[in-house]
Amino acid sequence: MYYPLVRFRGPRSFLAALVVIVSGTALLLRPPAPRLLAPAAQQPTLWRGAYHVHSTQSDGSGTPEAIATAAAAAGLDFVILTDHGDATRPPTPPRVVDGVLLIDAVEISTDDGHLVALDLPQAPYPLAGEGRAVLDDVHRLGGLGILAHPDSPRPALAWHDASVDADGYEWVNADTTWRSARAPRLLAHLLTYALNRAGTLAALARYPAALFAERDQPTRRPQLALAAIDAHARIGWQRGADPLDGGRTLAEFPSYRASLGTFGLVVPWLDGRPSGDASRDAVVVLHAIRHGLASTAVFSMASPAWLSLDVIEPAATATPGPDARGPATLAVRSNAPADAIVRVLRNGTLLREASASAWSLALEADAPPAIYRAEVWLPARRGWPALPIAVSAARGHNLPRAPLDAAAAGLPDGPPAAVDDGSVAVDLRGWHVEHDPASRATSDTGPPEAIAQGTLTLAPGARVSQFAALVADLAAPPPGASTLELDLSASAPMRLSIQLREPRPGEGLRWRHSAYVDQARRLVRLPVQAFRPILPASGSVPLERVHALLLVMDTVNARPGETRTVTVRAARWTTDQ
């Protein structure tokens, strides 16, 4: 059989054929429109919103007002703006623009990755440095800390300290999804962008099984799992570059309208309906997120998706909070359609799945500690990502009771508790001050019980690594020393960098930790193993070789021109022996 070759009569016919082929491929690969879901019986009023959006207040291309307009076009009710910062900018009060509630939050850069802080007031000093320290400050100020893009394939954006027990994490991040996609896959999907922009972006996402398995463990508190769009509406010279790095914007891509239609939060109004008052409605939205009442959804696949997971105790033995102990019932409610599958995960792995939109499971009184989370899955369709359309908040059962953290709970004013048995006073001598050429520091006469006091002032102007420190010569600690305890106070709230130095030419080698200090006397406990090296130092602290203790104020957690007086009343080692 003879098949004639297709002959193109000039470049125009070739281009026309190419357009037909590309258009046909795009139509074939186009993600389907979102599936409309019917409400379930007794389903509450639902608000859909976007979390993790950047505006012109940091590295986004659109104003908050323009973002609200795009959100209104996407059918959303609220947007949580998360512009980059150190939390020292006063948050903009909630407001309604084009019928969309705008809520201000902040994305903070730490040494271990990015942390989004929700429901946070203005901080008294810049929040930065180690991730654990920033999270501690966020909690002290009453906020929630969410790990942003923790599983990003880019080291600069991934979260690096697995020991940090944040309030939640982003299980999917739209910006990371498209920026990290391989070029051939991205180009293939972009063929359909003009036909279904939100669906095209969402189709690049992958299910993060490893992240759920790592984070949803009974050794941690139940954590929020949020769907983030991380929208900037801009692309620079390099697709993979962090927009925060600046540089020229080549295009406002992907658009806010497209990103806002991918993923987001679903907030149920369990008591009444939205009031129309921005401040009151923002309180309800943030309360739903904080207390695990909100769920996340893939808007580009189905809407509005509702999913609720509860662990219910008998009334006679119920304890406060969303988690449970002893005999309990795991209850799932949703508006999943008849062809959907509702799955329940235990500790990040599948426990049970059912086609019913609402069902329950008995939990035995002596069941092992576990974290539960529910998901709703629709049958696969060409163009859809392999993702659930809804993910619930996590619930805990028979979780170990966490010991009371005195630092987190707050200590009353006045002297700290008596010295523990077995502690050894730190041999500190020759107190003096050190500072950069432009900054100032003085060694002062403190109260009678103080062993040292210093006033530290950073030079004003631009940040150029200013520092001022109160320093003491440090004798060798006792064998087995495991924790350094300091009785500290300061003239105003600050985060003090506490460093151990090994003598070397130049500035020596240093290891650092940090602690919150304010006007009240505070016993600061610093495990030696938690000190981190400052380059060029590496590894753990060589206690047998360190020779100095430094209490440092620098531009990591202080502004140029600021002054603090630091008072030391006691110092001791605790040992493992």
Side-chain angles (χ1 to χ4, degrees):
M1 184 176 292
Y2 172 72
Y3 294 95
L5 294 174
V6 177
R7 298 182 181 275
F8 297 104
R9 297 180 179 179
R12 290 186 178 179
S13 61
F14 173 77
L15 290 176
L18 182 61
V19 168
V20 170
I21 293 172
V22 171
S23 299
T25 303
L27 288 171
L28 183 66
L29 298 177
R30 176 183 58 182
R35 183 169 171 179
L36 183 62
L37 302 181
Q42 299 181 336
Q43 176 178 307
T45 298
L46 302 178
W47 254 26
R48 301 190 316 148
Y51 152 81
H52 199 153
V53 182
H54 296 275
S55 75
T56 49
Q57 294 187 71
S58 62
D59 58 344
S61 67
T63 64
E65 292 74 20
I67 292 169
T69 300
L76 301 187
D77 301 291
F78 66 91
V79 172
I80 299 177
L81 300 171
T82 57
D83 282 299
H84 295 276
D86 59 13
T88 56
R89 175 181 65 84
T92 303
R95 68 270 196 207
V96 176
V97 178
D98 285 344
V100 174
L101 174 65
L102 296 180
I103 301 173
D104 212 11
V106 61
E107 183 174 7
I108 303 168
S109 296
T110 82
D111 294 347
D112 299 302
H114 291 189
L115 185 80
V116 173
L118 303 177
D119 204 10
L120 187 73
Q122 181 182 11
Y125 52 82
L127 305 190
E130 299 174 16
R132 62 191 175 189
V134 174
L135 182 63
D136 178 61
D137 286 335
V138 167
H139 285 166
R140 182 176 293 102
L141 293 167
L144 290 176
I146 310 296
L147 305 184
H149 32 72
D151 59 344
S152 172
R154 296 177 53 210
L157 296 180
W159 189 263
H160 298 287
D161 188 350
S163 69
V164 172
D165 196 10
D167 300 296
Y169 59 92
E170 296 174 358
W171 72 269
V172 66
N173 182 289
D175 186 75
T176 296
T177 292
W178 79 266
R179 288 183 187 273
S180 61
R182 293 184 179 276
R185 183 166 179 258
L186 180 64
L187 291 174
H189 280 274
L190 287 181
L191 291 175
T192 68
Y193 182 73
L195 302 175
N196 185 339
R197 297 184 178 188
T200 296
L201 295 176
L204 293 165
R206 301 178 185 275
Y207 183 76
L211 182 63
F212 280 127
E214 174 196 347
R215 284 283 155 185
D216 287 0
Q217 292 297 320
T219 53
R220 303 180 185 272
R221 297 174 297 130
Q223 297 186 351
L224 304 166
L226 301 187
I229 63 172
D230 202 359
H232 300 80
R234 57 166 293 198
I235 183 172
W237 288 103
Q238 293 182 322
R239 171 170 61 95
D242 186 348
L244 185 60
D245 296 337
R248 181 180 175 185
T249 298
L250 298 184
E252 294 182 0
F253 173 89
S255 68
Y256 284 113
R257 173 66 179 82
S259 297
L260 291 164
T262 55
F263 321 112
L265 301 179
V266 178
V267 171
W269 287 78
L270 302 179
D271 185 12
R273 292 178 175 272
S275 68
D277 180 275
S279 296
R280 291 178 60 185
D281 290 345
V283 168
V284 173
V285 170
L286 293 171
H287 179 274
I289 297 171
R290 180 184 292 272
H291 295 282
L293 303 176
S295 60
T296 62
V298 182
F299 298 151
S300 65
M301 295 174 66
S303 188
W306 173 59
L307 176 60
S308 173
L309 176 68
D310 295 294
V311 181
I312 304 171
E313 297 170 290
T317 59
T319 55
D323 307 318
R325 304 183 68 83
T329 300
L330 191 71
V332 180
R333 295 178 297 157
S334 73
N335 66 338
D339 59 346
I341 297 295
V342 178
R343 297 178 176 177
V344 169
L345 285 70
R346 179 174 62 193
N347 300 336
T349 58
L350 181 63
L351 170 66
R352 179 180 170 182
E353 60 183 24
S355 57
S357 61
W359 51 273
S360 61
L361 178 68
L363 301 178
E364 299 296 332
D366 58 351
I371 299 290
Y372 296 91
R373 196 181 295 277
E375 301 173 344
V376 176
W377 290 75
L378 290 179
R381 293 185 65 181
R382 184 174 60 239
W384 271 357
L387 295 177
I389 63 168
V391 177
S392 78
R395 296 288 183 257
H397 181 242
N398 283 349
L399 297 181
R401 297 189 187 276
L404 179 64
D405 185 343
L411 296 174
D413 292 346
V419 176
D420 297 330
D421 292 340
S423 64
V424 178
V426 179
D427 188 358
L428 297 171
R429 304 175 184 177
W431 285 96
H432 60 283
V433 295
E434 298 178 6
H435 54 85
D436 67 88
S439 297
R440 303 191 311 274
T442 59
S443 184
D444 308 332
T445 301
E449 71 276 12
I451 61 174
Q453 180 171 288
T455 298
L456 314 175
T457 302
L458 300 185
R463 278 187 165 92
V464 286
S465 301
Q466 297 99 315
F467 78 93
L470 183 62
V471 186
D473 297 330
L474 177 66
S482 60
T483 301
L484 174 63
E485 295 186 348
L486 298 172
D487 180 353
L488 299 172
S489 64
S491 56
M494 68 178 301
R495 179 158 286 275
L496 187 66
S497 178
I498 301 169
Q499 303 177 10
L500 297 173
R501 183 166 63 192
E502 176 187 357
R504 290 291 180 91
E507 297 182 355
L509 298 181
R510 293 173 292 146
W511 287 258
R512 62 181 170 87
H513 205 314
S514 69
Y516 171 78
V517 187
D518 59 18
Q519 296 91 327
R521 291 182 61 180
R522 187 174 298 270
L523 184 62
V524 174
R525 298 180 175 90
L526 306 168
V528 172
Q529 64 181 7
F531 278 75
R532 292 187 179 182
I534 301 174
L535 292 176
S538 62
S540 57
V541 181
L543 275 184
E544 70 282 359
R545 297 199 302 271
V546 296
H547 78 121
L549 170 69
L550 297 84
L551 308 181
V552 184
M553 181 171 77
D554 56 27
T555 53
V556 174
N557 295 116
R559 305 177 188 89
E562 289 188 332
T563 296
R564 294 290 189 273
T565 297
V566 177
T567 303
V568 186
R569 290 178 172 84
R572 59 181 182 259
W573 297 105
T574 61
T575 68
D576 292 332
Q577 296 181 347

